[in-house]
Amino acid sequence: MAEDDPKEEPWEHDLEDPEPFHHATSDSAHGRGRGTPALYGIMAEFDNPTDLVAAARRTHEAGYRRINGYSPYPIEELSEAIGFTRTALPLIVLVGGILGGLGGFFMQYWMEVIDYPLNVGGKPFNSWPAFIPITFECTVLVASFAAVLGMLMLNKLPQPYHPVFNAPNFALATRDKFFLVIEANDPKFKYGEATQFMKTLGAMDVSDVEV
């Protein structure tokens, strides 16, 4: 995900955000001086997945909800630790499959019964058993497209730029380091408190992430 390593992307574990991102703009809200760049969040760096998962769990238990975890590979425990247990993707795929199936069936019905009916061996125009293969294929096709497009939408991809690219050492998220971020738009976020809390998690380094 880092700009200086474009061939490989870190795995991002992110709570779904149903609303567009808005960060606080008040300098006093972040405890930062005027004229400083807007703050995206606070980032902690870890050197192993065990520490990252433990830190994520403590952060979620402390009441923070806008949490992101970044790692070189998927970590199943991390998603659970930050409270990401549900996704809308299965519903999107289901709706896509239903629409694809109905579309495939009624496409054939319109062609065979309404637009260009043919008497084939005395069979009824609406010979629905013959419609099943195409109906099935259309169901799979549209469900597959819905899965891919839904995944991209929920993950906010493609995303050529992200504020975490500005963080020191973040390029290592594609190699051998692990990162945890508390976003500044978290309802509980206060700059001083969040920074001190992150320093208690046993991180190798804690740094600001600027927009």
Side-chain angles (χ1 to χ4, degrees):
M1 189 182 285
E3 292 177 324
D4 57 341
D5 191 1
K7 296 181 180 180
E8 188 175 6
E9 294 188 358
W11 193 270
E12 177 179 356
H13 306 258
D14 185 10
L15 286 176
E16 293 180 14
D17 184 10
E19 300 180 356
F21 166 75
H22 298 284
H23 61 79
T25 56
S26 170
D27 294 321
S28 59
H30 295 154
R32 293 154 61 86
R34 293 186 177 276
T36 58
L39 187 70
Y40 173 77
I42 305 295
M43 174 178 285
E45 177 183 347
F46 302 88
D47 64 352
N48 64 79
T50 303
D51 289 347
L52 173 62
V53 172
R57 185 170 289 111
R58 284 184 56 190
T59 303
H60 188 267
E61 290 174 351
Y64 294 99
R65 293 297 178 265
R66 297 296 301 143
I67 313 166
N68 290 339
Y70 301 88
S71 60
Y73 48 82
I75 303 175
E76 184 177 353
E77 296 87 351
L78 182 56
S79 298
E80 181 181 352
I82 65 175
F84 180 45
T85 57
R86 302 184 65 180
T87 174
L89 188 59
L91 179 60
I92 293 174
V93 176
L94 175 62
V95 172
I98 292 174
L99 293 178
L102 292 175
F105 181 88
F106 285 108
M107 174 187 68
Q108 297 172 90
Y109 182 90
W110 179 80
M111 290 187 297
E112 297 290 341
V113 179
I114 299 173
D115 184 55
Y116 198 68
L118 291 175
N119 188 333
V120 180
K123 295 180 181 179
F125 295 138
N126 182 23
S127 184
W128 65 265
F131 299 170
I132 292 177
I134 292 180
T135 300
F136 171 78
E137 295 297 338
C138 288
T139 300
V140 174
L141 178 64
V142 179
S144 300
F145 276 114
V148 173
L149 297 177
M151 179 274 296
L152 293 175
M153 179 187 67
L154 294 175
N155 289 331
K156 303 175 184 178
L157 297 174
Q159 197 170 49
Y161 170 79
H162 194 283
V164 294
F165 296 162
N166 299 322
N169 300 328
F170 187 73
L172 299 176
T174 63
R175 302 170 193 169
D176 59 355
K177 298 300 180 184
F178 305 82
F179 296 86
L180 182 69
V181 175
I182 299 177
E183 295 184 10
N185 64 345
D186 189 291
K188 184 180 173 64
F189 186 90
K190 293 183 180 179
Y191 178 77
E193 294 180 5
T195 302
Q196 288 300 119
F197 174 77
M198 293 290 264
K199 291 179 179 179
T200 67
L201 300 177
M204 299 173 58
D205 182 55
V206 175
S207 58
D208 294 351
V209 179
E210 298 172 352
V211 175

